């Protein structure tokens, strides 16, 4: 009865929730979200600078998250570069002095909080001509006004950035009287005009008062209450907002540090001053001042939109042109297209039609390009336009492990009988790719790379993908012997189409999407190894056992080739730094990232090839028992291998947990990752019942794993993977659910578009294919030349 209910439940879900319906829902959601964000920007009138300065929340205990944007953590060299030849002035009381010291410590971490308490303090970095001064003005009075007037008259001494704040001394000296508050308002009114003049040629910030911990205040400060501070803050906001022009105040109010202090003032020793570890104001200020200058990719607050470069404009014209042609074909009534492929109700997979598909008509490629253009527009809005919000990642064990448990429960719920029980059959490899991809996605969005044990296990998953590359392509060439140009171009197109489009639309280098260059490189290596003389295939090896040693000799030669490059970094860098090859492997002008990625998993592909060879030979010799329900080996051997596999899993996890640094772990990874991969294969395949079932849920994701991996960069994560895309602000859980739903639908649609275009771009006729390749070569050369004159994308 339970099994029947389980089966009926799955069927009921899938009958009403097909992938087509899901895509329609996601399209409607995107349109509604666009309307929401455009309306909120138009009527709310706030930009990311105001978000940064006005509000936010804590992620954990000490990571401040501004509302709707990402805050970059500035290093000393970055701060010096930004503030070179600038003067910064902090004007106010002891709280502003604290802010001054925190700001200076970003520039020079060795600077100590020393100097007389009630005097001016100066900091200078002569190498960068940076001057940062603290000026002791504990009250907003005539003395402060005179200082501001002097700056308006002396252009040479005028600071580029001014940060002011005062109130506690006014409360303390006058006992929190109503007359003192009224005088504070009058004094600010007299000052604000001069602040506005200074803001015309620089940046001026007024810092609202942080709360106090009234319980630990000394007796002579007991009159400084949170109620009094709130009244003074209200007065400052009223006066400064009265100076607004066109709805915006030239003098910026800094309220975010006050909101942060609401949660951290309890840690204060004296109840008035925040401990150094909880001061976020200086980093908020640095982001407000420097983000628009340095434009760090993970600092989206206060950044203005970068205009699209020439290639991006040309790509937009290309997609628009394709849409126009599609509309013309549609109006002319040219509708010849492939027959619709019905979805499988149970697994949401597309069944292969029983009869041959109708050839694609002339309208079909333009329709595919039109769909791709709409999707690329969404990519651009998510990660290049100031449309949606972004937030930084923050790792906790719950943000990684709870979603992990959830998806594995879903995976088990959608378990089905497999069509065959062979080792690593197609359904099983799709399942393997699917659950690995989902784990990697959770790993990325949760920021779990900060936790070394998780980092190392995910490194094994990436290695397992490359293992499958070696296994799959070796098996194909060994069994089929198809080394034709059509096959090669089909593989390369399906691997690279989306990435090449994103390189143009998102203005990113090819190496940025590191996994695709890695898989492409190893495919070319496998193809070259198998295609070069002598071509040894299974049918060749069947004629004589010595041919098997020929395959092993080829693999040994490939291993020596890999070892030579792995231990000759200079040679490696010289080879891959040659133009135009360097355009494929450079990231930010260096091939260091490519060297790191290549070296990290340099052996696993050859492990996959060797495993495929051994398995196919054993299968041919009928050594393995691959019937449904049969153990892969005899009972004794199966139990021994299962025991060793479980022990290796546990041993690896203990080792990964004991690693102190990623560098230490990565040194060992190329040599031991294969043990974990083989252990999983054996555990998954030795028991006959395990080979006879698979998860259609994981297998569905496995079919679009490449698209999922690439699309996450811009429409699930944000700021080129540094942050998280925020479609629904204020509700992180709902935001993740909605953005994930749209992201998966987009990835699936791109997979279909790639398959459609592959049929058009890669014809089976050899002469037509050569002509296409020639045209693509010329187009690639033009793109390379245009990219040289286009504005490069700076990053920090």
């Amino acid at each position: 009865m339970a099994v029947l209910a389980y089966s009926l439940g799955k069927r009921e879900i899938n009958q009403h929730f097909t992938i087509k319906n899901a895509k329609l829902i996601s399209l409607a959601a995107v349109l509604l979200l666009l309307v929401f964000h455009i309306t909120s920007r138009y009527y709310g009138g706030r930009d990311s600078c105001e978000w940064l300065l006005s509000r936010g929340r804590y992620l954990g205990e000490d990571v401040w998250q501004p509302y709707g944007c990402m805050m970059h953590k500035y290093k000393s060299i970055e701060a010096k570069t930004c503030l070179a030849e600038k003067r910064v002035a902090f004007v106010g009381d002891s709280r502003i002095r604290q802010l001054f010291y925190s700001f200076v410590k970003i520039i020079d971490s060795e600077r100590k909080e020393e100097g007389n308490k009630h005097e001016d303090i100066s900091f200078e970095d002569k190498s960068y001509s940076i001057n940062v001064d603290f000026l002791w003005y504990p009250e907003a009075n005539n003395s402060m006004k005179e200082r501001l007037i002097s700056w308006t008259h002396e252009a040479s001494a005028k600071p580029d950035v001014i940060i002011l704040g005062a109130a506690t001394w006014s409360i303390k000296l006058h006992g929190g009287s109503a007359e003192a508050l009224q005088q504070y308002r009058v004094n600010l009114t007299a000052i604000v005009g001069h602040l506005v003049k200074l803001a015309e040629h620089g940046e001026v910030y007024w810092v609202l008062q942080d709360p106090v911990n009234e319980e630990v205040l000394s007796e002579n400060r007991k009159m400084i209450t949170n109620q009094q501070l709130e009244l003074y803050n209200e007065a400052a906001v009223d006066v400064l907002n009265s100076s607004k022009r066109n709805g915006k105040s030239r003098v910026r109010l800094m309220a975010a540090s006050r909101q942060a202090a609401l949660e951290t003032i309890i840690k204060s020793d004296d109840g008035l001053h925040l401990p150094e570890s909880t001061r976020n104001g200086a980093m908020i200020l640095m982001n407000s001042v420097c983000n628009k200058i340095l434009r760090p990719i993970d600092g989206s607050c206060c950044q203005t939109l970068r205009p699209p470069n020439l290639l991006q404009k040309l790509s937009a014209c290309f997609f628009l042109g394709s849409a126009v042609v599609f509309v013309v074909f549609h109006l002319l009534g040219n509708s010849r297209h492939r027959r619709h492929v019905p979805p499988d109700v149970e697994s949401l997979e597309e069944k292969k039609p029983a009869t041959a598909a109708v050839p694609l008509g002339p309208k079909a490629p333009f329709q595919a390009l039109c769909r791709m253009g709409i999707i690329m527009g969404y990519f651009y809005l998510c990660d290049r336009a100031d449309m949606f919000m972004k937030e930084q990642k923050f790792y906790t064990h719950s943000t990684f492990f709870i979603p992990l448990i959830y998806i594995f429960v879903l995976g088990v719920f959608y378990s089905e009988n497999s069509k065959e029980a062979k080792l690593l059959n197609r359904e099983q490899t799709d399942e393997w790719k699917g659950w690995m991809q989902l784990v990697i996605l959770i790993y990325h969005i949760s920021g779990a790379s900060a936790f070394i044990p998780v980092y190392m296990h995910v490194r094994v998953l990436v290695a397992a993908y490359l293992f499958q590359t070696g296994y799959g392509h070796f098996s194909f060439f060994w069994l089929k012997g198809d080394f034709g140009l059509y096959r090669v171009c089909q593989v390369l197109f399906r691997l690279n189409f989306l990435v090449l489009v994103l390189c143009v639309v998102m203005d990113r280098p090819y190496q940025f999407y590191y996994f695709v260059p890695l898989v492409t490189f190893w495919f070319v290596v496998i193809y070259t190894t198998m295609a070069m003389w002598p071509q040894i295939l299974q049918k060749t090896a069947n004629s004589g056992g010595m041919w098997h040693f020929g395959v092993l000799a080829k693999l040994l030669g490939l291993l020596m080739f890999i070892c030579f490059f792995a231990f000759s970094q200079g040679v490696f860098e010289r080879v891959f730094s040659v133009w135009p090859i360097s355009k494929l492997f450079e990231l930010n002008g260096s091939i260091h990232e490519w060297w790191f990625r290549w070296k990290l998993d340099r052996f696993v592909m050859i492990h996959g090839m060797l495993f495929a060879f051994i398995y196919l030979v054993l299968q041919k010799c009928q050594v393995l028992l691959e019937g449904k329900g049969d153990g892969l080996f005899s009972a004794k051997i199966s139990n021994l291998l299962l025991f060793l596999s479980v022990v290796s899993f546990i041993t690896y996890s203990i080792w990964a947990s004991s690693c102190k640094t990623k560098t230490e772990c990565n040194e060992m990874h190329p040599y031991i990752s294969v043990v974990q991969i083989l252990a999983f294969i054996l555990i998954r395949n030795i028991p006959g019942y395990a080979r006879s079932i698979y998860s259609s849920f994981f297998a569905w994701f496995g079919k679009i794993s490449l698209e999922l991996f690439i699309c996450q960069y811009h429409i699930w994560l944000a700021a080129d993977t540094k942050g998280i895309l925020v479609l629904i602000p204020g509700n992180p859980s709902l935001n993740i659910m909605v953005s994930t739903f749209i992201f998966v639908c987009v990835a699936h649609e791109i997979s279909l578009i790639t398959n459609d275009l592959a049929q058009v771009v890669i014809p089976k006729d050899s002469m037509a294919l050569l002509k296409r390749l020639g045209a693509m070569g010329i187009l690639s050369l033009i793109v390379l030349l245009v990219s040289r004159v286009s504005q490069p994308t700076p990053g920090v």
Side-chain angles (χ1 to χ4, degrees), residues 295-357:
R295 305 182 70 88
I297 195 65
D298 61 340
S300 62
C301 303
C302 288
Q303 280 205 39
T304 54
L305 280 179
R306 183 184 299 280
N309 62 27
L310 180 58
L311 280 176
Q312 288 172 313
K313 292 176 181 177
L314 289 174
S315 65
C317 292
F318 174 76
F319 285 122
L320 284 173
S322 300
V324 171
V325 175
F326 167 68
V327 170
V328 170
F329 273 118
H330 185 73
L331 293 175
L332 292 175
N334 191 325
S335 60
R336 192 178 71 161
H337 190 40
R338 65 174 182 174
R339 184 173 60 83
H340 174 66
V341 180
D344 185 329
V345 172
E346 277 297 309
S347 64
L348 294 182
E349 296 174 11
E350 289 182 343
K351 291 181 179 178
K352 293 183 179 179
T355 58

Side-chain angles (χ1 to χ4, degrees), residues 692-708:
S692 301
I693 60 171
Y694 79 106
S695 169
S696 58
F697 176 79
F698 291 141
W700 188 88
F701 284 98
K703 293 178 187 299
I704 57 169
S705 59
L706 182 65
E707 288 78 12
L708 288 170

Side-chain angles (χ1 to χ4, degrees), residues 4-113:
L4 179 60
Y6 165 81
S7 178
L8 290 174
K10 286 195 300 180
R11 183 175 293 275
E12 186 71 19
I13 292 171
N14 291 331
Q15 280 180 338
H16 292 90
F17 193 73
T18 64
I19 188 63
K20 182 179 179 181
N21 291 339
K23 289 177 183 177
L24 291 174
I25 294 170
S26 68
L27 178 60
V30 169
L31 294 175
L32 289 173
L33 288 167
L34 281 172
V35 171
F36 167 75
H37 281 272
I38 292 171
T39 305
S40 62
R41 291 292 182 94
Y42 182 78
Y43 290 103
R46 290 195 168 192
D47 57 21
S48 59
C49 256
E50 290 187 62
W51 294 340
L52 170 69
L53 296 171
S54 62
R55 56 179 171 146
R57 70 182 192 278
Y58 270 105
L59 303 175
E61 293 186 359
D62 56 359
V63 178
W64 182 250
Q65 169 61 63
Y67 174 78
C69 64
M70 295 170 62
M71 191 168 75
H72 178 66
K73 189 174 182 180
Y74 275 90
K75 299 176 183 176
S76 173
I77 186 63
E78 296 169 337
K80 290 178 180 179
T81 303
C82 166
L83 299 173
E85 300 182 359
K86 284 186 172 63
R87 297 181 65 88
V88 182
F90 288 80
V91 182
D93 54 16
S94 58
R95 288 178 152 190
I96 297 298
R97 183 177 63 232
Q98 269 196 325
L99 186 58
F100 159 80
Y101 276 122
S102 298
F103 191 86
V104 167
K105 284 181 180 179
I106 299 174
I107 305 169
D108 180 7
S109 59
E110 301 299 320
R111 178 68 184 232
K112 296 181 179 179
E113 297 188 18

Side-chain angles (χ1 to χ4, degrees), residues 46-56 64 66-67 69 71 163 203-208 249-260 280-289 292 301-302:
R46 290 195 168 192
D47 57 21
S48 59
C49 256
E50 290 187 62
W51 294 340
L52 170 69
L53 296 171
S54 62
R55 56 179 171 146
W64 182 250
Y67 174 78
C69 64
M71 191 168 75
I163 300 97
E203 297 181 48
V204 179
Y205 300 87
W206 184 271
V207 182
L208 295 182
S249 175
R250 291 183 178 273
V251 181
R252 296 178 175 178
L253 283 166
M254 185 170 165
S257 58
R258 172 184 170 277
Q259 187 179 357
N280 299 288
M283 196 61 73
I284 292 172
L285 277 173
M286 195 67 76
N287 274 259
S288 181
V289 173
K292 54 184 170 292
C301 303
C302 288

